[in-house]
Every structure is written in structure tokens, then in C-alpha cells.
Amino acid sequence: MPIWKAIVLGVIQGAAEFLPISSSGHLVIMKELLGIDLETGGVFFDVMLHLGTLLAIFLAFWKDIKHLIIEGLHIIGDVCCNIAAAVRNLFGGDCVYRKVIRSSYRKLVVLIIVSTIPTGILGVLLSDVIEAANGMILVPGICLLITALFLVIADAADNGNKKPKETTYWNAGAIGVAQGLATMPGISRSGTTITACLLCGFDKKYAVKYSFIMSIPAVLGAVVLEIKDVGKLALSGQDIISCATATIIAAVVGYISICFMMQFIKNKKYRYFAIYCAVIGLCAIGYYIL
């Protein structure tokens, strides 16, 4: 693939992954328009694009992610101690159990795990449908119209004030279902999950942060599933350079997009993105018909 095409796809991935306009849908449409054939290295290229946006999330939310990792390890330690205490108590011991969820970060770790479960289940169930949908421009066009509808709903949603302590596990499960459905090309993952967060009564800034951080397990899982076939590919030096370039571009543009969304959420004017998605969706449908 020429470098300039890799740069275009890197920009699209980095911007559309975090702006509520669907990166997968835009990539399918752009590959069609540019006549990009990724039959030989498509999996590797997609993996590298996702790694780029993952890097952007880690750069933007490193302080939060660091605390989540530390508290996640502490949760595992406390659970093991409680199991050991339960075993001792069965034999007449008098061990005291530790309180596992005792901070906002620990609650957030469990919430993200709960959200990831339905996302993973739906991802597996819809995998064949998603693979078929990625090969035709009509599906992203229709799904972009659905994204536009979600964004109109987000724009009309009341302002909430929920933070991790007030968030229920039912909220987390519902948001995970929304993320699972957003695996369809053209349905924006960030737009869908932010809409779900706002409908659940989340604080606006917390809604965006939760949407982006909860994507880490889902994206990592997708990368692991895709990367198993990378070793079978015969990639040229040009392919590797193009993929590396696209990864760096996706990371840089993705970081800028995250910073923009964290500021944009204060005004919550999603209708502009809704109009954009509707226009692009209609254009894609028209292109398919013509």
C-alpha cells in the first residue's frame, strides 16, 4: 500500500475512533473509494490501526489506567485472601474478611469488567455478520443513519451526575450491550456508548472517560483474535512501513480527538455529528445504488 493511503486511513482511524462518527464505517467506505485491496495484509493492518488508537487512550488517560491496574491487582489479592479466610473458617478459624470494593477506582474496575462481558458475547455471536458487512458499502451507510439517531438522542438526554460510586452494575451491563452492538461497521462505538452512559444518568465528563477506557479490553481482545493470523502473511518492506506509519498517525490523531471530545462534551452538541453521519450514510447508500 502506498504511504499516502496509509496516512489517510491512519487519520480516519484516529479521528473517527473517538469522535462519534464510526471509524469502522469510514474505513470501509474509504477503502472502497480509494480502491484499497487488503486481502494479503488486511488483518495485520487493522491490528496496527487498533494498536495506534489504544496507544492514544493510554497516553490520554494514563493516570486513571495506572490506578485501575494497581487497584485491579489489589482486588485479586483481597479476593484470594478472602478465599483463604473462608477455607480457614470452615475448619474452625475466626478470620475476618476484607472489603473488596472500597474505593471509586476499585468500583470502576468491576464496572468495566461487567461492561466487557456482554460486549465479548455479542462480538462472538455477531462475528460472521460483521465480517460479511465489512465487504459492502451499503451496511456502513445504513448503520451511519442509526448512529445519527443515537446522537440525536444523546443531544436530547438530560444532564446526569452519576460517578463510579453511584453507577450500578446494571448500568455497566447495559453500556456493554451497547458497545457490543457497535461492532457493526457504521455504528459508532464512542457515540453509542456515550449515548448509553448519558441515558444512564452519567456525568458528562465521566461518560466520555468511561466510554474510552472501557474500550481497552474490547480492543485488546479483538487484537488478540486478529493477530493469530499475522504470522502466516508474507509482508513486504513497503507493507511494514505503511502499517507503522498508519499506526503512528492513528495514535497522534487519536490523542488529539480524545482531547477534543473531553472539551466538546461540556456543550453536548451532538446534533452536528448527527447531521454529518446522516449525510455520509446517505451518500454511501447512494454510491452503492448507483
Side-chain angles (χ1 to χ4, degrees), residues 111-263:
L111 289 171
I112 291 173
I113 293 173
V114 172
S115 292
T116 302
I117 293 171
T119 297
I121 293 173
L122 286 172
V124 172
L125 293 177
L126 297 175
S127 59
D128 292 338
V129 177
I130 295 168
E131 185 176 351
N134 278 320
M136 56 193 313
I137 198 172
L138 176 63
V139 175
I142 295 173
C143 289
L144 279 167
L145 296 182
I146 296 174
T147 294
L149 176 61
F150 287 160
L151 294 177
V152 170
I153 295 173
D155 208 47
D158 295 329
N159 294 328
N161 55 12
K162 282 186 179 180
K163 295 291 181 66
K165 287 186 177 180
E166 295 79 30
T167 305
T168 67
Y169 296 116
W170 286 108
N171 291 154
I175 296 166
V177 171
Q179 181 171 247
L181 295 175
T183 52
M184 289 294 295
I187 298 182
S188 168
R189 193 208 62 79
S190 61
T192 303
T193 53
I194 290 173
T195 299
C197 287
L198 293 175
L199 291 177
C200 288
F202 282 24
D203 170 80
K204 291 185 292 185
K205 190 172 181 179
Y206 170 51
V208 175
K209 183 180 291 188
Y210 189 85
S211 169
F212 292 162
I213 293 179
M214 73 175 284
S215 71
I216 294 175
V219 175
L220 277 176
V223 168
V224 170
L225 289 175
E226 292 176 349
I227 207 167
K228 66 181 186 297
D229 297 324
V230 169
K232 304 175 184 177
L233 301 175
L235 299 173
S236 66
Q238 177 68 37
D239 292 332
I240 294 174
I241 293 174
S242 295
C243 287
T245 302
T247 301
I248 295 171
I249 295 296
V252 173
V253 177
Y255 179 81
I256 295 171
S257 298
I258 291 173
C259 295
F260 171 79
M261 282 300 296
M262 295 303 292
Q263 295 298 319

Side-chain angles (χ1 to χ4, degrees), residues 16-163:
E17 177 69 20
F18 302 111
L19 301 181
I21 56 176
S22 177
S23 62
S24 59
H26 278 70
L27 286 175
V28 171
I29 292 172
M30 189 55 64
K31 288 174 185 176
E32 175 75 19
L33 294 177
L34 295 180
I36 297 176
D37 181 12
L38 295 176
E39 285 295 322
T40 56
V43 173
F44 182 67
F45 192 81
D46 288 341
V47 166
M48 296 301 287
L49 286 176
H50 282 108
L51 286 177
T53 47
L54 264 183
L55 179 59
I57 296 174
F58 273 88
L59 289 174
F61 300 110
W62 172 241
K63 290 183 179 179
D64 292 304
I65 293 171
K66 180 178 69 175
H67 284 300
L68 289 173
I69 293 172
I70 293 172
E71 293 302 330
L73 293 174
H74 287 166
I75 287 174
I76 294 173
D78 285 348
V79 169
C80 291
C81 289
N82 286 342
I83 293 173
V87 172
R88 293 192 188 100
N89 289 341
L90 286 175
F91 294 95
D94 189 23
C95 298
V96 178
Y97 294 105
R98 298 184 181 184
K99 184 178 180 180
V100 178
I101 309 301
R102 56 174 184 264
S103 70
S104 294
Y105 275 111
R106 289 197 175 197
K107 177 72 175 293
L108 187 55
V109 170
V110 180
L111 289 171
I112 291 173
I113 293 173
V114 172
S115 292
T116 302
I117 293 171
T119 297
I121 293 173
L122 286 172
V124 172
L125 293 177
L126 297 175
S127 59
D128 292 338
V129 177
I130 295 168
E131 185 176 351
N134 278 320
M136 56 193 313
I137 198 172
L138 176 63
V139 175
I142 295 173
C143 289
L144 279 167
L145 296 182
I146 296 174
T147 294
L149 176 61
F150 287 160
L151 294 177
V152 170
I153 295 173
D155 208 47
D158 295 329
N159 294 328
N161 55 12
K162 282 186 179 180
K163 295 291 181 66

